[in-house]
Amino acid sequence: MNSKAPVAMISQGMRDKTDEEILTVRNKAIRELNEMGYEVLNTFYSDYGKEKETMEQNNVVNEPLWYLAKSLSDMAKCDAVYFTKGFETYRGCVIEHIAATRYGLKTIYED
């Protein structure tokens, strides 16, 4: 039997939110997931300067789509996705939800 902890990522709306607001919600979700026995994959891409340079090198014209692609790539490493309250009002979270449910990942919802 594999003793490796299952891995989860957090899907949360970030548009028009400060890093502090994002991290407050994220840290609560991390605590909940850890209590459930999950290891949490960090999908809070905070190194914007480096990302901006990479996007320019790759001729990216749609920044939100770039981050969604990164998120979906990270989702492939997960067993579950935790969706925060209000996720359904954010287009990236909706796409993450569709991917998670269609590809059989466990979905967990913030109370």
Side-chain angles (χ1 to χ4, degrees):
M1 184 169 157
N2 186 355
S3 63
K4 182 180 175 274
V7 178
M9 66 175 266
I10 300 165
S11 178
Q12 70 180 121
M14 296 185 185
R15 184 184 63 246
D16 298 328
K17 295 186 187 285
T18 65
D19 283 358
E20 184 179 347
E21 291 170 320
I22 292 165
L23 291 172
T24 296
V25 171
R26 185 170 218 70
N27 289 333
K28 178 182 177 279
I30 289 170
R31 282 190 304 278
E32 289 180 25
L33 286 164
N34 288 161
E35 287 172 9
M36 289 186 255
Y38 285 94
E39 196 176 297
V40 180
L41 185 66
N42 183 11
T43 54
F44 179 59
Y45 311 117
S46 59
D47 192 359
Y48 183 75
K50 183 179 177 187
E51 284 296 322
K52 191 73 171 167
E53 185 179 311
T54 302
M55 285 186 267
E56 287 171 5
Q57 291 170 351
N58 287 284
N59 300 316
V60 171
V61 296
N62 190 312
E63 191 174 305
L65 199 52
W66 170 266
Y67 283 107
L68 177 60
K70 284 182 63 129
S71 179
L72 291 173
S73 179
D74 281 338
M75 187 184 289
K77 304 170 191 170
C78 296
D79 302 290
V81 182
Y82 179 102
F83 293 92
T84 62
K85 286 181 187 172
F87 80 88
E88 63 280 344
T89 62
Y90 292 88
R91 59 191 177 191
C93 295
V94 169
I95 292 168
E96 289 171 347
H97 189 262
I98 292 168
T101 57
R102 297 277 173 101
Y103 285 89
L105 279 73
K106 179 174 181 168
T107 52
I108 304 165
Y109 302 93
E110 180 181 17
D111 290 332

PDB file of all heavy atoms in Angstrom, residues 50-87:
ATOM      1  N   LYS A  50       9.240  37.233 -12.797  1.00  0.00           N
ATOM      2  CA  LYS A  50       9.797  36.130 -13.574  1.00  0.00           C
ATOM      3  C   LYS A  50       8.767  35.612 -14.573  1.00  0.00           C
ATOM      4  O   LYS A  50       9.095  35.316 -15.724  1.00  0.00           O
ATOM      5  CB  LYS A  50      10.252  35.012 -12.638  1.00  0.00           C
ATOM      6  CG  LYS A  50      10.907  33.866 -13.343  1.00  0.00           C
ATOM      7  CD  LYS A  50      11.366  32.809 -12.359  1.00  0.00           C
ATOM      8  CE  LYS A  50      11.968  31.632 -13.095  1.00  0.00           C
ATOM      9  NZ  LYS A  50      12.285  30.530 -12.206  1.00  0.00           N
ATOM     10  N   GLU A  51       7.529  35.498 -14.145  1.00  0.00           N
ATOM     11  CA  GLU A  51       6.461  35.032 -15.031  1.00  0.00           C
ATOM     12  C   GLU A  51       6.271  35.998 -16.200  1.00  0.00           C
ATOM     13  O   GLU A  51       6.090  35.573 -17.330  1.00  0.00           O
ATOM     14  CB  GLU A  51       5.140  34.878 -14.278  1.00  0.00           C
ATOM     15  CG  GLU A  51       5.074  33.667 -13.408  1.00  0.00           C
ATOM     16  CD  GLU A  51       5.137  32.356 -14.181  1.00  0.00           C
ATOM     17  OE1 GLU A  51       4.565  32.235 -15.282  1.00  0.00           O
ATOM     18  OE2 GLU A  51       5.756  31.429 -13.658  1.00  0.00           O
ATOM     19  N   LYS A  52       6.304  37.277 -15.905  1.00  0.00           N
ATOM     20  CA  LYS A  52       6.125  38.292 -16.951  1.00  0.00           C
ATOM     21  C   LYS A  52       7.200  38.130 -18.027  1.00  0.00           C
ATOM     22  O   LYS A  52       6.904  38.171 -19.224  1.00  0.00           O
ATOM     23  CB  LYS A  52       6.183  39.691 -16.319  1.00  0.00           C
ATOM     24  CG  LYS A  52       5.758  40.791 -17.236  1.00  0.00           C
ATOM     25  CD  LYS A  52       4.265  40.770 -17.449  1.00  0.00           C
ATOM     26  CE  LYS A  52       3.834  42.000 -18.193  1.00  0.00           C
ATOM     27  NZ  LYS A  52       2.474  41.891 -18.685  1.00  0.00           N
ATOM     28  N   GLU A  53       8.431  37.909 -17.590  1.00  0.00           N
ATOM     29  CA  GLU A  53       9.547  37.700 -18.524  1.00  0.00           C
ATOM     30  C   GLU A  53       9.314  36.441 -19.366  1.00  0.00           C
ATOM     31  O   GLU A  53       9.496  36.450 -20.582  1.00  0.00           O
ATOM     32  CB  GLU A  53      10.845  37.576 -17.731  1.00  0.00           C
ATOM     33  CG  GLU A  53      12.088  37.467 -18.575  1.00  0.00           C
ATOM     34  CD  GLU A  53      13.336  37.369 -17.707  1.00  0.00           C
ATOM     35  OE1 GLU A  53      13.485  38.200 -16.777  1.00  0.00           O
ATOM     36  OE2 GLU A  53      14.148  36.470 -17.961  1.00  0.00           O
ATOM     37  N   THR A  54       8.890  35.368 -18.729  1.00  0.00           N
ATOM     38  CA  THR A  54       8.617  34.114 -19.440  1.00  0.00           C
ATOM     39  C   THR A  54       7.482  34.301 -20.431  1.00  0.00           C
ATOM     40  O   THR A  54       7.546  33.798 -21.561  1.00  0.00           O
ATOM     41  CB  THR A  54       8.281  32.987 -18.440  1.00  0.00           C
ATOM     42  OG1 THR A  54       9.370  32.836 -17.533  1.00  0.00           O
ATOM     43  CG2 THR A  54       8.024  31.665 -19.145  1.00  0.00           C
ATOM     44  N   MET A  55       6.447  35.028 -20.030  1.00  0.00           N
ATOM     45  CA  MET A  55       5.325  35.277 -20.929  1.00  0.00           C
ATOM     46  C   MET A  55       5.788  36.059 -22.163  1.00  0.00           C
ATOM     47  O   MET A  55       5.399  35.741 -23.286  1.00  0.00           O
ATOM     48  CB  MET A  55       4.205  36.026 -20.214  1.00  0.00           C
ATOM     49  CG  MET A  55       3.409  35.143 -19.278  1.00  0.00           C
ATOM     50  SD  MET A  55       1.980  35.992 -18.583  1.00  0.00           S
ATOM     51  CE  MET A  55       2.661  36.621 -17.061  1.00  0.00           C
ATOM     52  N   GLU A  56       6.619  37.064 -21.943  1.00  0.00           N
ATOM     53  CA  GLU A  56       7.127  37.859 -23.061  1.00  0.00           C
ATOM     54  C   GLU A  56       7.960  36.991 -24.002  1.00  0.00           C
ATOM     55  O   GLU A  56       7.831  37.093 -25.229  1.00  0.00           O
ATOM     56  CB  GLU A  56       7.949  39.039 -22.540  1.00  0.00           C
ATOM     57  CG  GLU A  56       7.103  40.115 -21.913  1.00  0.00           C
ATOM     58  CD  GLU A  56       7.905  41.191 -21.192  1.00  0.00           C
ATOM     59  OE1 GLU A  56       9.155  41.165 -21.247  1.00  0.00           O
ATOM     60  OE2 GLU A  56       7.270  42.054 -20.567  1.00  0.00           O
ATOM     61  N   GLN A  57       8.799  36.128 -23.449  1.00  0.00           N
ATOM     62  CA  GLN A  57       9.630  35.235 -24.265  1.00  0.00           C
ATOM     63  C   GLN A  57       8.780  34.259 -25.081  1.00  0.00           C
ATOM     64  O   GLN A  57       9.194  33.815 -26.147  1.00  0.00           O
ATOM     65  CB  GLN A  57      10.600  34.442 -23.387  1.00  0.00           C
ATOM     66  CG  GLN A  57      11.676  35.283 -22.754  1.00  0.00           C
ATOM     67  CD  GLN A  57      12.470  34.530 -21.698  1.00  0.00           C
ATOM     68  OE1 GLN A  57      12.118  33.425 -21.307  1.00  0.00           O
ATOM     69  NE2 GLN A  57      13.544  35.149 -21.238  1.00  0.00           N
ATOM     70  N   ASN A  58       7.599  33.938 -24.571  1.00  0.00           N
ATOM     71  CA  ASN A  58       6.711  32.996 -25.244  1.00  0.00           C
ATOM     72  C   ASN A  58       5.594  33.675 -26.031  1.00  0.00           C
ATOM     73  O   ASN A  58       4.633  33.018 -26.437  1.00  0.00           O
ATOM     74  CB  ASN A  58       6.119  32.019 -24.223  1.00  0.00           C
ATOM     75  CG  ASN A  58       7.142  31.021 -23.756  1.00  0.00           C
ATOM     76  OD1 ASN A  58       7.472  30.087 -24.469  1.00  0.00           O
ATOM     77  ND2 ASN A  58       7.668  31.214 -22.559  1.00  0.00           N
ATOM     78  N   ASN A  59       5.710  34.987 -26.205  1.00  0.00           N
ATOM     79  CA  ASN A  59       4.738  35.767 -26.983  1.00  0.00           C
ATOM     80  C   ASN A  59       3.303  35.613 -26.476  1.00  0.00           C
ATOM     81  O   ASN A  59       2.356  35.554 -27.262  1.00  0.00           O
ATOM     82  CB  ASN A  59       4.812  35.398 -28.474  1.00  0.00           C
ATOM     83  CG  ASN A  59       6.185  35.665 -29.046  1.00  0.00           C
ATOM     84  OD1 ASN A  59       6.782  36.708 -28.792  1.00  0.00           O
ATOM     85  ND2 ASN A  59       6.702  34.713 -29.807  1.00  0.00           N
ATOM     86  N   VAL A  60       3.149  35.551 -25.164  1.00  0.00           N
ATOM     87  CA  VAL A  60       1.824  35.409 -24.567  1.00  0.00           C
ATOM     88  C   VAL A  60       1.065  36.728 -24.703  1.00  0.00           C
ATOM     89  O   VAL A  60       1.578  37.782 -24.353  1.00  0.00           O
ATOM     90  CB  VAL A  60       1.942  35.001 -23.083  1.00  0.00           C
ATOM     91  CG1 VAL A  60       0.591  35.062 -22.385  1.00  0.00           C
ATOM     92  CG2 VAL A  60       2.550  33.603 -22.971  1.00  0.00           C
ATOM     93  N   VAL A  61      -0.155  36.635 -25.215  1.00  0.00           N
ATOM     94  CA  VAL A  61      -0.984  37.829 -25.363  1.00  0.00           C
ATOM     95  C   VAL A  61      -2.183  37.806 -24.412  1.00  0.00           C
ATOM     96  O   VAL A  61      -2.882  38.804 -24.282  1.00  0.00           O
ATOM     97  CB  VAL A  61      -1.476  38.017 -26.822  1.00  0.00           C
ATOM     98  CG1 VAL A  61      -0.292  38.266 -27.752  1.00  0.00           C
ATOM     99  CG2 VAL A  61      -2.286  36.821 -27.293  1.00  0.00           C
ATOM    100  N   ASN A  62      -2.421  36.672 -23.758  1.00  0.00           N
ATOM    101  CA  ASN A  62      -3.543  36.562 -22.832  1.00  0.00           C
ATOM    102  C   ASN A  62      -3.020  36.031 -21.498  1.00  0.00           C
ATOM    103  O   ASN A  62      -2.920  34.821 -21.292  1.00  0.00           O
ATOM    104  CB  ASN A  62      -4.622  35.638 -23.405  1.00  0.00           C
ATOM    105  CG  ASN A  62      -5.890  35.670 -22.601  1.00  0.00           C
ATOM    106  OD1 ASN A  62      -5.852  35.563 -21.379  1.00  0.00           O
ATOM    107  ND2 ASN A  62      -7.019  35.799 -23.278  1.00  0.00           N
ATOM    108  N   GLU A  63      -2.687  36.961 -20.615  1.00  0.00           N
ATOM    109  CA  GLU A  63      -2.089  36.612 -19.324  1.00  0.00           C
ATOM    110  C   GLU A  63      -2.968  35.707 -18.460  1.00  0.00           C
ATOM    111  O   GLU A  63      -2.480  34.714 -17.912  1.00  0.00           O
ATOM    112  CB  GLU A  63      -1.733  37.902 -18.584  1.00  0.00           C
ATOM    113  CG  GLU A  63      -0.882  37.706 -17.380  1.00  0.00           C
ATOM    114  CD  GLU A  63      -0.451  39.043 -16.786  1.00  0.00           C
ATOM    115  OE1 GLU A  63       0.126  39.870 -17.512  1.00  0.00           O
ATOM    116  OE2 GLU A  63      -0.721  39.227 -15.591  1.00  0.00           O
ATOM    117  N   PRO A  64      -4.274  35.994 -18.310  1.00  0.00           N
ATOM    118  CA  PRO A  64      -5.105  35.100 -17.496  1.00  0.00           C
ATOM    119  C   PRO A  64      -5.110  33.665 -18.039  1.00  0.00           C
ATOM    120  O   PRO A  64      -5.094  32.701 -17.274  1.00  0.00           O
ATOM    121  CB  PRO A  64      -6.499  35.721 -17.574  1.00  0.00           C
ATOM    122  CG  PRO A  64      -6.250  37.165 -17.843  1.00  0.00           C
ATOM    123  CD  PRO A  64      -5.033  37.185 -18.740  1.00  0.00           C
ATOM    124  N   LEU A  65      -5.109  33.512 -19.342  1.00  0.00           N
ATOM    125  CA  LEU A  65      -5.096  32.179 -19.941  1.00  0.00           C
ATOM    126  C   LEU A  65      -3.763  31.465 -19.666  1.00  0.00           C
ATOM    127  O   LEU A  65      -3.735  30.250 -19.460  1.00  0.00           O
ATOM    128  CB  LEU A  65      -5.361  32.282 -21.440  1.00  0.00           C
ATOM    129  CG  LEU A  65      -5.814  31.032 -22.161  1.00  0.00           C
ATOM    130  CD1 LEU A  65      -7.004  30.385 -21.477  1.00  0.00           C
ATOM    131  CD2 LEU A  65      -6.134  31.357 -23.609  1.00  0.00           C
ATOM    132  N   TRP A  66      -2.686  32.207 -19.626  1.00  0.00           N
ATOM    133  CA  TRP A  66      -1.370  31.653 -19.280  1.00  0.00           C
ATOM    134  C   TRP A  66      -1.426  31.022 -17.880  1.00  0.00           C
ATOM    135  O   TRP A  66      -0.986  29.901 -17.681  1.00  0.00           O
ATOM    136  CB  TRP A  66      -0.315  32.759 -19.328  1.00  0.00           C
ATOM    137  CG  TRP A  66       1.013  32.377 -18.769  1.00  0.00           C
ATOM    138  CD1 TRP A  66       1.455  32.574 -17.495  1.00  0.00           C
ATOM    139  CD2 TRP A  66       2.089  31.724 -19.451  1.00  0.00           C
ATOM    140  NE1 TRP A  66       2.731  32.093 -17.341  1.00  0.00           N
ATOM    141  CE2 TRP A  66       3.154  31.563 -18.528  1.00  0.00           C
ATOM    142  CE3 TRP A  66       2.268  31.261 -20.747  1.00  0.00           C
ATOM    143  CZ2 TRP A  66       4.355  30.970 -18.859  1.00  0.00           C
ATOM    144  CZ3 TRP A  66       3.473  30.672 -21.082  1.00  0.00           C
ATOM    145  CH2 TRP A  66       4.495  30.529 -20.141  1.00  0.00           C
ATOM    146  N   TYR A  67      -1.983  31.771 -16.939  1.00  0.00           N
ATOM    147  CA  TYR A  67      -2.067  31.255 -15.565  1.00  0.00           C
ATOM    148  C   TYR A  67      -3.041  30.087 -15.456  1.00  0.00           C
ATOM    149  O   TYR A  67      -2.808  29.146 -14.689  1.00  0.00           O
ATOM    150  CB  TYR A  67      -2.431  32.373 -14.583  1.00  0.00           C
ATOM    151  CG  TYR A  67      -1.254  33.260 -14.291  1.00  0.00           C
ATOM    152  CD1 TYR A  67      -1.177  34.546 -14.795  1.00  0.00           C
ATOM    153  CD2 TYR A  67      -0.195  32.806 -13.513  1.00  0.00           C
ATOM    154  CE1 TYR A  67      -0.074  35.363 -14.530  1.00  0.00           C
ATOM    155  CE2 TYR A  67       0.905  33.603 -13.243  1.00  0.00           C
ATOM    156  CZ  TYR A  67       0.953  34.875 -13.754  1.00  0.00           C
ATOM    157  OH  TYR A  67       2.048  35.668 -13.490  1.00  0.00           O
ATOM    158  N   LEU A  68      -4.131  30.112 -16.219  1.00  0.00           N
ATOM    159  CA  LEU A  68      -5.060  28.990 -16.217  1.00  0.00           C
ATOM    160  C   LEU A  68      -4.367  27.732 -16.742  1.00  0.00           C
ATOM    161  O   LEU A  68      -4.533  26.642 -16.183  1.00  0.00           O
ATOM    162  CB  LEU A  68      -6.307  29.311 -17.052  1.00  0.00           C
ATOM    163  CG  LEU A  68      -7.323  28.178 -17.170  1.00  0.00           C
ATOM    164  CD1 LEU A  68      -7.860  27.758 -15.802  1.00  0.00           C
ATOM    165  CD2 LEU A  68      -8.451  28.594 -18.100  1.00  0.00           C
ATOM    166  N   ALA A  69      -3.580  27.881 -17.788  1.00  0.00           N
ATOM    167  CA  ALA A  69      -2.847  26.731 -18.337  1.00  0.00           C
ATOM    168  C   ALA A  69      -1.882  26.160 -17.301  1.00  0.00           C
ATOM    169  O   ALA A  69      -1.768  24.939 -17.155  1.00  0.00           O
ATOM    170  CB  ALA A  69      -2.096  27.148 -19.601  1.00  0.00           C
ATOM    171  N   LYS A  70      -1.209  27.034 -16.564  1.00  0.00           N
ATOM    172  CA  LYS A  70      -0.313  26.564 -15.490  1.00  0.00           C
ATOM    173  C   LYS A  70      -1.097  25.801 -14.431  1.00  0.00           C
ATOM    174  O   LYS A  70      -0.667  24.754 -13.949  1.00  0.00           O
ATOM    175  CB  LYS A  70       0.405  27.749 -14.830  1.00  0.00           C
ATOM    176  CG  LYS A  70       1.525  28.328 -15.630  1.00  0.00           C
ATOM    177  CD  LYS A  70       2.197  29.453 -14.880  1.00  0.00           C
ATOM    178  CE  LYS A  70       2.820  28.932 -13.621  1.00  0.00           C
ATOM    179  NZ  LYS A  70       4.182  29.247 -13.379  1.00  0.00           N
ATOM    180  N   SER A  71      -2.248  26.336 -14.087  1.00  0.00           N
ATOM    181  CA  SER A  71      -3.083  25.717 -13.071  1.00  0.00           C
ATOM    182  C   SER A  71      -3.563  24.334 -13.522  1.00  0.00           C
ATOM    183  O   SER A  71      -3.532  23.369 -12.755  1.00  0.00           O
ATOM    184  CB  SER A  71      -4.276  26.631 -12.775  1.00  0.00           C
ATOM    185  OG  SER A  71      -5.110  26.060 -11.822  1.00  0.00           O
ATOM    186  N   LEU A  72      -4.002  24.225 -14.763  1.00  0.00           N
ATOM    187  CA  LEU A  72      -4.461  22.937 -15.275  1.00  0.00           C
ATOM    188  C   LEU A  72      -3.305  21.938 -15.343  1.00  0.00           C
ATOM    189  O   LEU A  72      -3.486  20.748 -15.053  1.00  0.00           O
ATOM    190  CB  LEU A  72      -5.122  23.099 -16.645  1.00  0.00           C
ATOM    191  CG  LEU A  72      -6.460  23.824 -16.638  1.00  0.00           C
ATOM    192  CD1 LEU A  72      -6.931  24.082 -18.071  1.00  0.00           C
ATOM    193  CD2 LEU A  72      -7.511  23.066 -15.852  1.00  0.00           C
ATOM    194  N   SER A  73      -2.129  22.421 -15.680  1.00  0.00           N
ATOM    195  CA  SER A  73      -0.954  21.555 -15.680  1.00  0.00           C
ATOM    196  C   SER A  73      -0.672  21.041 -14.275  1.00  0.00           C
ATOM    197  O   SER A  73      -0.382  19.854 -14.073  1.00  0.00           O
ATOM    198  CB  SER A  73       0.252  22.333 -16.224  1.00  0.00           C
ATOM    199  OG  SER A  73       1.401  21.535 -16.205  1.00  0.00           O
ATOM    200  N   ASP A  74      -0.789  21.912 -13.285  1.00  0.00           N
ATOM    201  CA  ASP A  74      -0.591  21.487 -11.896  1.00  0.00           C
ATOM    202  C   ASP A  74      -1.703  20.538 -11.437  1.00  0.00           C
ATOM    203  O   ASP A  74      -1.466  19.641 -10.638  1.00  0.00           O
ATOM    204  CB  ASP A  74      -0.504  22.701 -10.961  1.00  0.00           C
ATOM    205  CG  ASP A  74       0.862  23.353 -10.995  1.00  0.00           C
ATOM    206  OD1 ASP A  74       1.840  22.685 -11.386  1.00  0.00           O
ATOM    207  OD2 ASP A  74       0.958  24.533 -10.620  1.00  0.00           O
ATOM    208  N   MET A  75      -2.907  20.730 -11.949  1.00  0.00           N
ATOM    209  CA  MET A  75      -4.019  19.869 -11.574  1.00  0.00           C
ATOM    210  C   MET A  75      -3.729  18.408 -11.923  1.00  0.00           C
ATOM    211  O   MET A  75      -4.180  17.495 -11.229  1.00  0.00           O
ATOM    212  CB  MET A  75      -5.312  20.330 -12.256  1.00  0.00           C
ATOM    213  CG  MET A  75      -6.543  19.591 -11.780  1.00  0.00           C
ATOM    214  SD  MET A  75      -8.051  20.042 -12.672  1.00  0.00           S
ATOM    215  CE  MET A  75      -8.338  21.689 -12.048  1.00  0.00           C
ATOM    216  N   ALA A  76      -2.960  18.195 -12.975  1.00  0.00           N
ATOM    217  CA  ALA A  76      -2.613  16.829 -13.388  1.00  0.00           C
ATOM    218  C   ALA A  76      -1.803  16.095 -12.318  1.00  0.00           C
ATOM    219  O   ALA A  76      -1.711  14.873 -12.347  1.00  0.00           O
ATOM    220  CB  ALA A  76      -1.837  16.864 -14.705  1.00  0.00           C
ATOM    221  N   LYS A  77      -1.255  16.825 -11.365  1.00  0.00           N
ATOM    222  CA  LYS A  77      -0.457  16.232 -10.288  1.00  0.00           C
ATOM    223  C   LYS A  77      -1.304  15.962  -9.043  1.00  0.00           C
ATOM    224  O   LYS A  77      -0.780  15.514  -8.032  1.00  0.00           O
ATOM    225  CB  LYS A  77       0.678  17.184  -9.897  1.00  0.00           C
ATOM    226  CG  LYS A  77       1.582  17.568 -11.055  1.00  0.00           C
ATOM    227  CD  LYS A  77       2.524  18.692 -10.646  1.00  0.00           C
ATOM    228  CE  LYS A  77       3.228  19.266 -11.849  1.00  0.00           C
ATOM    229  NZ  LYS A  77       3.953  20.492 -11.529  1.00  0.00           N
ATOM    230  N   CYS A  78      -2.596  16.249  -9.104  1.00  0.00           N
ATOM    231  CA  CYS A  78      -3.452  16.219  -7.914  1.00  0.00           C
ATOM    232  C   CYS A  78      -4.461  15.085  -7.922  1.00  0.00           C
ATOM    233  O   CYS A  78      -4.874  14.598  -8.977  1.00  0.00           O
ATOM    234  CB  CYS A  78      -4.211  17.544  -7.800  1.00  0.00           C
ATOM    235  SG  CYS A  78      -3.132  18.957  -7.533  1.00  0.00           S
ATOM    236  N   ASP A  79      -4.863  14.735  -6.707  1.00  0.00           N
ATOM    237  CA  ASP A  79      -5.931  13.766  -6.501  1.00  0.00           C
ATOM    238  C   ASP A  79      -7.266  14.464  -6.267  1.00  0.00           C
ATOM    239  O   ASP A  79      -8.324  13.862  -6.451  1.00  0.00           O
ATOM    240  CB  ASP A  79      -5.616  12.908  -5.259  1.00  0.00           C
ATOM    241  CG  ASP A  79      -4.290  12.188  -5.392  1.00  0.00           C
ATOM    242  OD1 ASP A  79      -4.214  11.260  -6.209  1.00  0.00           O
ATOM    243  OD2 ASP A  79      -3.329  12.567  -4.686  1.00  0.00           O
ATOM    244  N   ALA A  80      -7.192  15.727  -5.821  1.00  0.00           N
ATOM    245  CA  ALA A  80      -8.405  16.461  -5.447  1.00  0.00           C
ATOM    246  C   ALA A  80      -8.215  17.949  -5.691  1.00  0.00           C
ATOM    247  O   ALA A  80      -7.082  18.442  -5.762  1.00  0.00           O
ATOM    248  CB  ALA A  80      -8.725  16.224  -3.972  1.00  0.00           C
ATOM    249  N   VAL A  81      -9.341  18.652  -5.807  1.00  0.00           N
ATOM    250  CA  VAL A  81      -9.333  20.110  -5.922  1.00  0.00           C
ATOM    251  C   VAL A  81     -10.321  20.663  -4.903  1.00  0.00           C
ATOM    252  O   VAL A  81     -11.463  20.203  -4.809  1.00  0.00           O
ATOM    253  CB  VAL A  81      -9.711  20.595  -7.335  1.00  0.00           C
ATOM    254  CG1 VAL A  81      -9.632  22.115  -7.415  1.00  0.00           C
ATOM    255  CG2 VAL A  81      -8.818  19.958  -8.388  1.00  0.00           C
ATOM    256  N   TYR A  82      -9.868  21.644  -4.142  1.00  0.00           N
ATOM    257  CA  TYR A  82     -10.673  22.328  -3.135  1.00  0.00           C
ATOM    258  C   TYR A  82     -11.164  23.629  -3.758  1.00  0.00           C
ATOM    259  O   TYR A  82     -10.358  24.470  -4.179  1.00  0.00           O
ATOM    260  CB  TYR A  82      -9.794  22.613  -1.916  1.00  0.00           C
ATOM    261  CG  TYR A  82     -10.467  23.334  -0.782  1.00  0.00           C
ATOM    262  CD1 TYR A  82     -10.879  22.640   0.353  1.00  0.00           C
ATOM    263  CD2 TYR A  82     -10.653  24.706  -0.803  1.00  0.00           C
ATOM    264  CE1 TYR A  82     -11.469  23.294   1.425  1.00  0.00           C
ATOM    265  CE2 TYR A  82     -11.245  25.378   0.251  1.00  0.00           C
ATOM    266  CZ  TYR A  82     -11.642  24.666   1.361  1.00  0.00           C
ATOM    267  OH  TYR A  82     -12.228  25.325   2.422  1.00  0.00           O
ATOM    268  N   PHE A  83     -12.477  23.804  -3.820  1.00  0.00           N
ATOM    269  CA  PHE A  83     -13.071  25.007  -4.402  1.00  0.00           C
ATOM    270  C   PHE A  83     -13.568  25.920  -3.289  1.00  0.00           C
ATOM    271  O   PHE A  83     -14.371  25.514  -2.450  1.00  0.00           O
ATOM    272  CB  PHE A  83     -14.224  24.626  -5.344  1.00  0.00           C
ATOM    273  CG  PHE A  83     -13.740  23.903  -6.564  1.00  0.00           C
ATOM    274  CD1 PHE A  83     -13.667  22.519  -6.576  1.00  0.00           C
ATOM    275  CD2 PHE A  83     -13.313  24.604  -7.680  1.00  0.00           C
ATOM    276  CE1 PHE A  83     -13.195  21.840  -7.689  1.00  0.00           C
ATOM    277  CE2 PHE A  83     -12.828  23.943  -8.796  1.00  0.00           C
ATOM    278  CZ  PHE A  83     -12.768  22.558  -8.806  1.00  0.00           C
ATOM    279  N   THR A  84     -13.078  27.156  -3.291  1.00  0.00           N
ATOM    280  CA  THR A  84     -13.481  28.115  -2.271  1.00  0.00           C
ATOM    281  C   THR A  84     -14.856  28.696  -2.605  1.00  0.00           C
ATOM    282  O   THR A  84     -15.321  28.609  -3.746  1.00  0.00           O
ATOM    283  CB  THR A  84     -12.450  29.255  -2.138  1.00  0.00           C
ATOM    284  OG1 THR A  84     -12.368  29.963  -3.381  1.00  0.00           O
ATOM    285  CG2 THR A  84     -11.067  28.717  -1.763  1.00  0.00           C
ATOM    286  N   LYS A  85     -15.471  29.303  -1.600  1.00  0.00           N
ATOM    287  CA  LYS A  85     -16.782  29.930  -1.793  1.00  0.00           C
ATOM    288  C   LYS A  85     -16.698  30.934  -2.936  1.00  0.00           C
ATOM    289  O   LYS A  85     -15.739  31.691  -3.046  1.00  0.00           O
ATOM    290  CB  LYS A  85     -17.214  30.656  -0.519  1.00  0.00           C
ATOM    291  CG  LYS A  85     -17.655  29.742   0.575  1.00  0.00           C
ATOM    292  CD  LYS A  85     -18.095  30.541   1.783  1.00  0.00           C
ATOM    293  CE  LYS A  85     -18.378  29.597   2.940  1.00  0.00           C
ATOM    294  NZ  LYS A  85     -18.630  30.318   4.174  1.00  0.00           N
ATOM    295  N   GLY A  86     -17.719  30.934  -3.754  1.00  0.00           N
ATOM    296  CA  GLY A  86     -17.798  31.897  -4.852  1.00  0.00           C
ATOM    297  C   GLY A  86     -17.003  31.508  -6.081  1.00  0.00           C
ATOM    298  O   GLY A  86     -16.938  32.286  -7.039  1.00  0.00           O
ATOM    299  N   PHE A  87     -16.429  30.314  -6.102  1.00  0.00           N
ATOM    300  CA  PHE A  87     -15.594  29.909  -7.239  1.00  0.00           C
ATOM    301  C   PHE A  87     -16.354  30.021  -8.560  1.00  0.00           C
ATOM    302  O   PHE A  87     -15.783  30.325  -9.604  1.00  0.00           O
ATOM    303  CB  PHE A  87     -15.049  28.480  -7.054  1.00  0.00           C
ATOM    304  CG  PHE A  87     -16.031  27.400  -7.381  1.00  0.00           C
ATOM    305  CD1 PHE A  87     -16.144  26.913  -8.673  1.00  0.00           C
ATOM    306  CD2 PHE A  87     -16.865  26.875  -6.412  1.00  0.00           C
ATOM    307  CE1 PHE A  87     -17.063  25.924  -8.985  1.00  0.00           C
ATOM    308  CE2 PHE A  87     -17.782  25.889  -6.702  1.00  0.00           C
ATOM    309  CZ  PHE A  87     -17.885  25.412  -8.004  1.00  0.00           C
TER     310      PHE A  87
END
